[in-house]
Amino acid sequence: MPTLGRDILWRAIGGQWRHSVRGSVLAAGHQAGEALVPVVIGLVIDEAVSREDPGALIRWIVVLGVVFAVLSVSWRFSARAAERASQQAAHRLRTELTERVLAPRGGAEAGRLPGELVNVATEDARRVGAVNVAFSAGIAALAGLIVGGVALLRVSVPLGLLVLLGTPPLLLLAHLLGKPLERRSHVEQERAAHASGVAADLVAGLRVLKGIGAEAAAVERYRRTSRDSLTATLRAARAQSWHDGGMLMVTGVFLALVALVGGRLAVGGDISVGELVAAVGLAQYLVNPLSVLSWANGEFAQGRASAARIAAVLATPPAVTGGAGGPPGPVQGRIRLREVSHDGLRGLDLDVAPGELLGVVTADPAAADSLLRLLGRSADPASGTVELDGTALTALDPDGVRRAVVVAEHDADLFEGSLHDNVAAAAASPASVETAMAGAAADEVAHALPRGAATVLTEQGRSLSGGQRQRVALARALAAAPPVLVLCDPTTAVDAATEARIASGIRRTRAGRTTIVVATSPALLAATDRVVFMEGGTVAAEGTHADLVRDSPAYRAAVLT
Amino acid sequence: MSRTEEPQAVERERLAVASPAQVRAAVRALARPHLGTALSGLAVLTVATGAGLLTAPVLGHIIDLVTQGRAADAITFPVVWLIVIAVVQGTLTALGTTLVARLGESMLATLRELFVERVLRLPLGRIERAGSGDLTSRVTGDVSAITNVLRDALPALARSVLTIGLTLVGLAVLDWRFALVALVAVPIQVYTVRWYLGRAVPLYAAQRVAVGDQQQQLLGTVGGAATVRALRLGETHVRLVGSRSQAAVDLALRGIRLMTRFYSRLNLAEYVGLSAVLITGFLLVRSGQVSIGTAGAAALYFHNLFTPINILLGLLDDAQVAAAGLARLAGVAYGERAPKTVTRPAIPPGPPVRLSGLGYAYQPGHPVLHDVNLDLAPGERVALVGTSGAGKTTLGKLLAGVHRPGLGSITIGGTSLPEPGEVAADRMVALVTQEVHVFAGPLADDLRLARPEATEAELCAALDRVGALTWARALPQGLATVVGEHGHRLSPAQAQQLALARLVLADPPVVVLDEATAEAGSAGARLLEAAALAATEGRTALIVAHRLTQAASADRVVVLDRGKVTESGPHEELVRAGAGYAALWEAWSDKRLQPDV
C-alpha cells in the first residue's frame, strides 16, 4: 500500500501509461504541427508569392493542408487519450478511497469531517488524475520547443539563439509577476467561496431564520459578506489585469527585438523575407509551449499536494487490529463483558443470555457510546474482554463480528434510494422486511408517503421527519435479523402511542434472539426482560423495569423525569 | 410526526424562471448604475486592441523595407513603433480588463444580493411548495456558473470579439479583398458552432448532474460510513460509488470527444481561411496591386485570428449555461412577488390568542383540521398532543403564519394576522421546530441574527436562560468560536439550545414550539424541556409535544385527534378524566409508576 503522495502521483501516471504515452506522442505531433504553420506561411511568401510561382503555391497549400490535418488529428486523439488517462486514474483513486473509508477495520474518518473526505475523493482525486493531462501536454510542449527551436536555428543561428535564450527569462519574469498574484487569487477565491458558502448556509437555515423573524439581519449580513467578497475580487482582478497587460507588453517588446535583429539580418541578405516572416511567427508561437510547461509545472505542484492528502487518508491506521474470521458455528448470542474499562466504562461486567431482551440505562453518553462501539468492534476495550459465545471479539475479524452482532446507533444514517430499499439493504430475507416494517411501525411511515414504500428518500432521508427516519432505520436493523442486535435510543423522536407499539414490535420481531436496547424510555424498558442500570461506568442495579422503578430512586430519576 | 401531514404528493410549484425578455431587462437594470464603467471599459479595450493590430502592418512595412533593399538603419524606426505599440497595448489592456471586471463583478454582486434578499423574504409557504432543493441549487450552482463565466470568460470574450472585429477591419484596410476572403471560413464556423451547441449544452448538463450524483452518493456513503460498516453494506456502497463515478467518467469522455470534434472542424475553417488569404495574396502581388509585405501582413493577421476565434466559440456553451443560470436567478430576484411589509401597533408580551373555526386542507377534499377553536389566555403555555397525523404541526404553522387558514380566523391581542401578501414588520409569532441549523461563523454572530444590536452581556444572559452558557463559555474561543459547517460541531441538543437562545433574544410575544426537543437523545430531551420552559416564560406559547412530561409541565393540555380538539384542560384534570389523554399518559408512564410513587 503506497503511503507517500509521490507514489500515488506516479502510480496515477504509471497505471495509465498506455494512454499517457499515446497522448504524449500525439500531443507532440500536434505541437510540431502548430510550430510548422508559420514556417509554411513563410515558405509560401518566399517561394510562391515573391517568385510568383503558381506551382509552388499549390504545392505549399497542399503541404499546409497536410500540416493542418496532422495537427488536428493528433490533437483530437491526444486530448482523448490524456482525458481518458486522467479520468480513469481519478476513478481508480476514488474507488480506492471509498474502500479505505468503508473498510471494516475503520479509522479513516478519525478527525476528518465527511465533507473533507468527500473533497479528497472528488477534488483531490481529480487533481491527481489531471496530472496525466499535464504530463502529455508537457511532453508535447517540449517537442514543440525542439521543433520550433530547430526551425529557427535553421533560419539563422543568432536569431534562433536570441529567441531560444530570450524566452526562458521572459517566462521567469511572468512567473515572478504571477507569484504574488497566485497568493492573492487564492485568498480571493476563499473570500468568494465564503460569500457563496454564507448564502447557501442562510438558505439551508431559512426556516429557522424565518421562524424567529431574522430575515432583515440575515440580509444585512449577507450584503456585508458579498461586498467584502466584491472588494477582494476586484483587487485580485486588477492584479490579474496588470499581470496580463504586463505580459502583453513584455512579449510585444520581445517581438520588436526579434523583428529588429531579423530585419537587419534580412537587409544584410543573411535570411530571406519568408524566413523573416517565419522567424516572427515562430517567436510568437514559442511563447505558447513555454507557458504550457510552466502551467504543467503548476499542475504537478497541485497534483503533489492532492496526492499527499490522498496518501494521508489511505495510510490512516485502522481503529482495530488483529482477529480473523467470523464466529465459529451457529451463533447462540451469548454476550459476556468482563472487567471492561474504556472511555466511560470502569470494570464493567455484563452477561446477556441467548435470546434475552435486555435494557441498558445510563445517564452518561460516553458510557453508552463505548458500549456500542465495543459490541460492534468499532473499538477494542482498553482493558478487559468482550465475548460472543465464549470467543473474544478481538479474536474475530470486525466484519465477522458484525455478521453476528448488528449495532444500530441512535444517529444511524439512511441512504439515497426508496424507503423499501433502505429497509431491505441488509435484510436477512424478503419476509423479514415486512415483519420488520410492522415491528418498527415503519409501515405507517410508508403509508403516509405519496408512493408508499417505493418513495425515494433524498439527501440521506432528510425528506422525512426525525421520527419517521428513526422508524425506518429501526426497521432496517430489525430486518437484518442478526443473532445479536444492539439498539440505541431508537424512538426518541416518536410520539408516545407509537413508541408503545414499537416496544412490543421489537419484542415480537426479536423473539428468541438476543437484543440489547440502550435507552431511557420507560415504554421501551417496560418491554424488556431485564434492565441493567449503569452508574459510574459499571452496573449499579439490575432487575425488571418495574422493580427498578419501585426500588431505585436514581433509576426513577433517570427514566421518569 | 412533524411532516407526515405535508403535501408530499402535491406537484412542486417551482420558483419562477425569467423569460429572455425579463433577463435582458434584468441585465439592463443591473448595468444601468455602471454605464460609465461599461462605456469607458469598451472604449479603452477597443483602443488597446486596435493598437495591437498595428503590429502586423508594421511588420509588413519592415518586410517591404527589406525587399526594397533599404539600409539596415531604416528598420530601427518601425521597431520603435513596435515597442510603442506593445507598451500602449499592454497598459490599455490592463486598464480595460480591470474596468470590464469591475462591471461584471459589481453586477454579479448586486444580483446575488438581490437574490438572497428576495429568497429570505419569500413566504415560507411558497418555499415549501417549491422545495428547498431548487433554491439551494440556484444559490450555489447557478451563482457559481455565472461567476465563472463572468470572471474568466467576460474579459476574454470582450477581447476576442474586439480582436476579431478589428482584425477584419485591419485586413480590409490592407486590401478589402483580404477581408472578403477571410469570411470564407465563417460558414464552416457557423455550422460547427450550431452543430456543437446542440450537443454540448445537453451533454454538459448531464455531466453536471452526474457529478452532482456522484458527490451526493459519496456524501451519503462517507457520512454514513459507521452505518455502512455496522450493517456490512461496504461492498454495495463501493459498487454504488463506483457506478456513479463511472457514469461521470463516461460523460466526461463523451464531452472530450465532442470537444475534440468541435475543434477539428474549426481547424478546417482555419485551413480554408488561411489558404484563401495566401492565394489572394499571391494573386494580388502578381497583379501588382499589393506589396509582398502587405500579403505577409495579411497572412500573419489571419494566423493571429485562430486563438481569439477558438476562445470565442469555445465560450459559447459556457455562455449558454450562464444564461440559463441567470434566468433562474433573475426569475427569483425580479419575478417572485415579495410580501408587503406592514407595520402594526406594538403588542405587549404574552397577548391573548384566539383561534376560531379553523379549517385547513393541503389537498382539496382532505382536510387536516376541522373547526378548531382554541383560546390562549395571556401568557398561557398550551401543550398540543396527539398521535402522528393529528394535525398538530399544521395548527402550529397556521398560528405562525406559514400557511393561511382555509376557514376561520386567528387573532393575536385582538389584531388579526397579516393578510396574504403581507408580512408584519415586527414578527408577532416565532416558530421553533425540531429542524435545527447552526449558522456557520462565530457563535455570537449566530445569536445576533435574532437581535443584531445585542451586547455580549445580553447574549450571555440568553444562553444562561436556556442553560447553554456553561458549554458555550467552555468552547475553544468562547462565544467567538466558529461553529456550524466547517467549524466546531455542536451536538443536536446544543444546537437546539442555541435555537431557544435565539428565541429569547428575538423576544416575540407569541411562540410556537414544534417538537423542539425531539432530535436529542433521551438524556438531552429533559435538558431541552427545561430550556424550552425557560425560553417561553412570559410569552403566550403553543407547544407541540411528543414527550408527555413536557405536556405535564404546561399550563394546559389540548388533545388533537384527526384534526379536531377532543380534550382540553390542565394535565391533572385530563388524567383524572380518564379519556384519551389519560390513556396516552398511561402508555407513557403510569403503567410503570407504582401507585405509591
Side-chain angles (χ1 to χ4, degrees), chain A residues 107 276 341:
Chain A
L276 175 60
S341 290

Side-chain angles (χ1 to χ4, degrees), chain A residues 61 72 76 80 91 94 101 109 201 207 210-211 221 226 264 267 468 492-493 495 520 545 558 561, chain B residues 1 4 70 73 113 120 122 128 229 245 261 267 271 388 427 431 437 440 445 522 526 546 592:
Chain A
I61 293 286
S72 182
R76 187 167 177 167
R80 290 184 191 180
H91 173 72
R94 212 169 287 138
V101 170
E109 313 107 287
D201 190 50
R207 289 165 213 263
K210 296 191 83 74
R221 174 168 304 177
S226 167
R264 282 175 163 269
V267 169
Q468 290 176 321
T492 45
D495 67 85
T520 53
H545 173 66
T561 47
Chain B
M1 295 324 324
T4 45
R70 294 290 190 82
D73 287 345
E113 285 160 24
L120 290 176
L122 279 181
E128 294 199 341
R229 276 196 291 272
S245 165
R261 285 162 71 195
N267 282 152
Y271 172 63
S388 303
R427 183 160 299 248
L431 171 68
H437 184 81
D445 285 8
S522 35
R526 269 188 289 284
H546 73 282
R592 273 87 60 189

Side-chain angles (χ1 to χ4, degrees), chain A residues 508-529:
Chain A
R508 193 173 62 241
T509 322
R510 294 293 301 165
R513 277 175 299 205
T514 311
T515 310
I516 302 172
V517 182
V518 181
T520 53
S521 145
L524 286 176
L525 293 168
T528 58
D529 298 324

Side-chain angles (χ1 to χ4, degrees), chain B residues 196-212 251-260 262-263 314 316-318 320-321:
Chain B
Y196 175 67
L197 284 184
R199 287 163 179 74
V201 172
L203 178 61
Y204 293 152
Q207 208 174 315
R208 275 188 299 279
V209 169
V211 170
L251 281 169
L253 292 181
R254 269 180 58 197
I256 192 87
R257 271 202 299 280
L258 180 66
M259 204 178 82
T260 53
F262 173 61
Y263 282 109
L316 286 178
D317 59 317
D318 286 346
Q320 280 213 339
V321 172

Side-chain angles (χ1 to χ4, degrees), chain B residues 347-557:
Chain B
I347 290 177
V353 172
R354 164 164 288 185
L355 312 173
S356 44
L358 283 191
Y360 190 80
Y362 289 102
Q363 288 163 280
H366 296 272
V368 182
L369 295 175
H370 315 260
D371 192 27
V372 172
N373 293 293
L374 185 58
D375 279 317
L376 284 81
E380 189 185 23
R381 279 182 287 210
V382 170
L384 201 56
V385 302
T387 52
S388 303
K392 306 186 295 285
T393 294
T394 306
L395 188 58
K397 282 185 175 172
L398 290 180
L399 176 54
V402 174
H403 301 309
R404 309 280 162 188
L407 288 169
S409 68
I410 300 174
T411 56
I412 293 167
T415 37
S416 56
L417 288 179
E419 294 299 308
E422 287 183 356
V423 64
D426 286 314
R427 183 160 299 248
M428 292 183 281
V429 187
L431 171 68
V432 177
T433 68
Q434 59 177 302
E435 178 178 321
V436 292
H437 184 81
V438 177
F439 293 93
L443 183 68
D445 285 8
D446 179 306
L447 289 169
R448 284 204 176 97
L449 279 170
R451 195 195 296 172
E453 71 286 355
T455 62
E456 181 97 9
E458 283 172 319
L459 298 185
C460 288
L463 286 169
D464 193 31
R465 186 143 158 206
V466 299
L469 190 60
T470 316
W471 62 254
R473 281 241 169 94
L475 290 173
Q477 279 97 41
L479 294 195
T481 308
V482 172
V483 293
E485 209 179 359
H486 306 306
H488 187 91
R489 272 209 291 186
L490 300 183
S491 72
Q494 290 175 328
Q496 193 59 271
Q497 274 178 306
L498 200 56
L500 292 169
R502 277 187 224 117
L503 180 68
V504 171
L505 286 165
D507 197 23
V510 182
V511 181
V512 176
L513 293 186
D514 186 356
E515 311 217 353
T517 59
E519 288 283 323
S522 35
R526 269 188 289 284
L527 197 76
L528 284 178
E529 278 167 22
L533 212 58
T536 51
E537 179 84 53
R539 304 178 212 286
T540 311
L542 185 65
I543 301 165
V544 177
H546 73 282
R547 286 179 55 90
L548 295 187
T549 40
Q550 204 176 3
S553 64
D555 297 326
R556 182 155 59 107
V557 177

Side-chain angles (χ1 to χ4, degrees), chain B residues 67-122:
Chain B
T67 44
Q68 286 157 19
R70 294 290 190 82
D73 287 345
I75 310 261
T76 316
F77 186 62
V79 166
V80 170
W81 262 113
L82 283 178
I83 292 172
V84 171
I85 289 168
V87 172
V88 170
Q89 189 195 7
T91 315
L92 292 185
T93 303
L95 199 62
T97 43
T98 306
L99 288 169
V100 170
R102 186 185 300 164
L103 169 72
E105 294 289 348
S106 308
M107 284 168 64
L108 178 70
T110 311
L111 178 64
R112 68 184 174 215
E113 285 160 24
L114 259 175
F115 177 79
V116 167
E117 176 178 355
R118 192 53 52 88
V119 164
L120 290 176
R121 295 204 189 283
L122 279 181

Side-chain angles (χ1 to χ4, degrees), chain B residues 148-417:
Chain B
N148 289 341
V149 167
L150 267 184
R151 202 156 290 166
D152 303 332
L154 190 65
L157 203 72
R159 285 168 61 187
S160 297
V161 170
L162 285 171
T163 309
I164 295 165
L166 291 176
T167 304
L168 288 176
V169 172
L171 276 174
V173 168
L174 291 179
D175 192 295
W176 60 273
R177 281 158 292 200
F178 283 127
L180 200 63
V181 298
L183 296 178
V184 300
V186 171
I188 307 179
Q189 283 156 344
V190 170
Y191 164 77
T192 304
V193 166
R194 297 181 67 140
W195 170 89
Y196 175 67
L197 284 184
R199 287 163 179 74
V201 172
L203 178 61
Y204 293 152
Q207 208 174 315
R208 275 188 299 279
V209 169
V211 170
D213 283 352
Q214 171 194 295
Q215 182 93 356
Q216 202 58 46
Q217 180 65 52
L218 272 166
L219 266 175
T221 295
V222 171
T227 308
V228 170
R229 276 196 291 272
L231 293 167
R232 303 176 58 243
L233 300 174
E235 274 173 38
T236 317
H237 276 261
V238 169
R239 207 171 53 238
L240 279 172
V241 169
S243 68
R244 290 278 167 95
S245 165
Q246 189 64 53
V249 166
D250 290 345
L251 281 169
L253 292 181
R254 269 180 58 197
I256 192 87
R257 271 202 299 280
L258 180 66
M259 204 178 82
T260 53
R261 285 162 71 195
F262 173 61
Y263 282 109
S264 290
R265 283 166 166 76
L266 290 183
N267 282 152
L268 179 67
E270 290 170 357
Y271 172 63
V272 169
L274 184 58
S275 300
V277 169
L278 284 171
I279 293 169
T280 309
F282 174 84
L283 295 173
L284 292 177
V285 170
R286 192 167 66 170
S287 57
Q289 298 186 47
V290 301
S291 68
I292 297 176
T294 309
L300 286 178
Y301 256 162
F302 195 80
H303 185 219
N304 281 345
L305 270 184
F306 292 1
T307 312
I309 288 180
N310 287 350
I311 289 175
L312 174 67
L313 300 183
L315 286 175
L316 286 178
D317 59 317
D318 286 346
Q320 280 213 339
V321 172
L326 192 61
R328 282 152 51 84
L329 287 190
V332 173
Y334 296 94
E336 289 286 342
R337 228 154 39 106
K340 202 170 75 198
T341 308
V342 290
T343 13
R344 309 232 147 192
I347 290 177
V353 172
R354 164 164 288 185
L355 312 173
S356 44
L358 283 191
Y360 190 80
Y362 289 102
Q363 288 163 280
H366 296 272
V368 182
L369 295 175
H370 315 260
D371 192 27
V372 172
N373 293 293
L374 185 58
D375 279 317
L376 284 81
E380 189 185 23
R381 279 182 287 210
V382 170
L384 201 56
V385 302
T387 52
S388 303
K392 306 186 295 285
T393 294
T394 306
L395 188 58
K397 282 185 175 172
L398 290 180
L399 176 54
V402 174
H403 301 309
R404 309 280 162 188
L407 288 169
S409 68
I410 300 174
T411 56
I412 293 167
T415 37
S416 56
L417 288 179

